Amino acid sequence: MSETLTEPRPGGHPGALAAVLFDMDGTLVDTEVHWDVALEELAQRLGDTLSAPARAEITGSSVPTALGILYRDVGVTRGAGQQAADDAWLQARVAELMQTSVPWRPGAPELLRAVRDSGLRTALVTTTFRAIADIALGHIGRHFFDVTVCGDEVPATKPSPAPYLQAMDALGVAAAACVVIEDSVTGVTAGLAAGAAVLGVPSLSPFTPAPGLTVRGSLTGVRVADLQAVLAARPVADVPG
């Protein structure tokens, strides 16, 4: 079950921005560096190294999907028990690394504070499992979010729209009133499929232009007014009616 910290606040009229839904890894904080270390260490434990294209493909994916890409890249086959052990090792290693450092992405803390101060509803929607996300939230600040949805609390992970739809439902807002902020192709796909406008800030892989997607190089200098413009820029045909 996802975590809701406060009661949803009343939203605005149709077409007005009511909520901002943030991805975590690579968007708000640079935990991707910890996943890089852990994935490379796991690849070495399996007797090889992880290629750059495979690492880019993993960005934004669930751990089972990431392991499948890693196995394919290093050329190994693992049984169900071995996969479960690799999953547990990988998550424990990332959790260990995150205990000491969870650095912000450029512009992220300023935008998060501005969104919160504006009175908009907020959600954190991450593929990361709750146990690890809670470590990051200890650094970020739980008070910034009305709702948090993690990868082990949804029926399907990104690129499925399920995580974002679950967060919108918990917030009590319509997709047409939401902006999703994402750094990966997987996350952008999920946000658009959920019916939200999306601000994409690519970390490893560039984005293919798509209706409803606005791309910025970083979150530095992004204001609430810019998020309102992202929502307004979405073609009317893409707004669920």
Side-chain angles (χ1 to χ4, degrees):
M1 178 179 292
S2 58
E3 182 177 276
T4 304
L5 299 184
T6 63
E7 291 298 319
R9 296 187 289 273
H13 55 80
L17 178 62
V20 183
L21 289 71
F22 295 89
D23 172 55
M24 185 178 75
D25 300 300
T27 299
L28 286 179
V29 289
D30 194 14
T31 50
E32 292 292 350
V33 66
H34 300 320
W35 287 101
D36 284 341
V37 170
L39 286 163
E40 183 55 40
E41 289 179 353
L42 180 57
Q44 291 174 2
R45 286 163 63 94
L46 296 174
D48 206 335
T49 59
L50 187 66
S51 70
R55 180 64 188 95
E57 187 180 354
I58 284 171
T59 302
S61 66
S62 65
V63 171
T65 299
L67 287 174
I69 295 168
L70 186 150
Y71 296 152
R72 183 192 68 209
D73 191 56
V74 303
V76 300
T77 301
R78 304 283 276 174
Q82 292 172 314
Q83 292 181 38
D86 291 341
D87 187 318
W89 183 91
L90 185 64
Q91 300 215 43
R93 181 63 175 131
V94 171
E96 179 185 15
L97 292 166
M98 286 175 61
Q99 294 287 354
T100 57
S101 172
V102 181
W104 287 101
R105 294 288 295 166
E110 294 82 5
L111 178 60
L112 191 55
R113 293 187 192 102
V115 169
R116 198 59 169 164
D117 289 346
S118 75
L120 293 168
R121 298 180 182 90
T122 55
L124 183 77
V125 183
T126 177
T127 301
T128 298
F129 281 14
R130 171 64 65 183
I132 297 178
D134 277 344
I135 297 172
L137 280 166
H139 293 269
I140 297 169
R142 293 175 180 274
H143 60 284
F144 284 118
F145 305 102
D146 296 305
V147 168
T148 58
V149 176
C150 298
D152 51 342
E153 301 168 342
V154 293
T157 55
K158 305 171 189 178
S160 167
Y164 281 114
L165 293 173
Q166 184 168 314
M168 292 171 191
D169 183 63
L171 289 169
V173 296
C178 294
V179 168
V180 162
I181 303 181
E182 276 281 359
D183 75 304
S184 70
V185 173
T186 299
V188 166
T189 301
L192 293 175
V198 177
L199 175 62
V201 186
S203 58
L204 291 178
S205 301
F207 300 141
T208 300
L213 171 63
T214 300
V215 179
R216 292 280 293 259
S218 80
L219 293 179
T220 301
V222 175
R223 304 162 300 163
V224 172
D226 297 314
L227 301 182
Q228 294 168 335
V230 169
L231 187 69
R234 178 174 50 187
V236 174
D238 293 326
V239 179

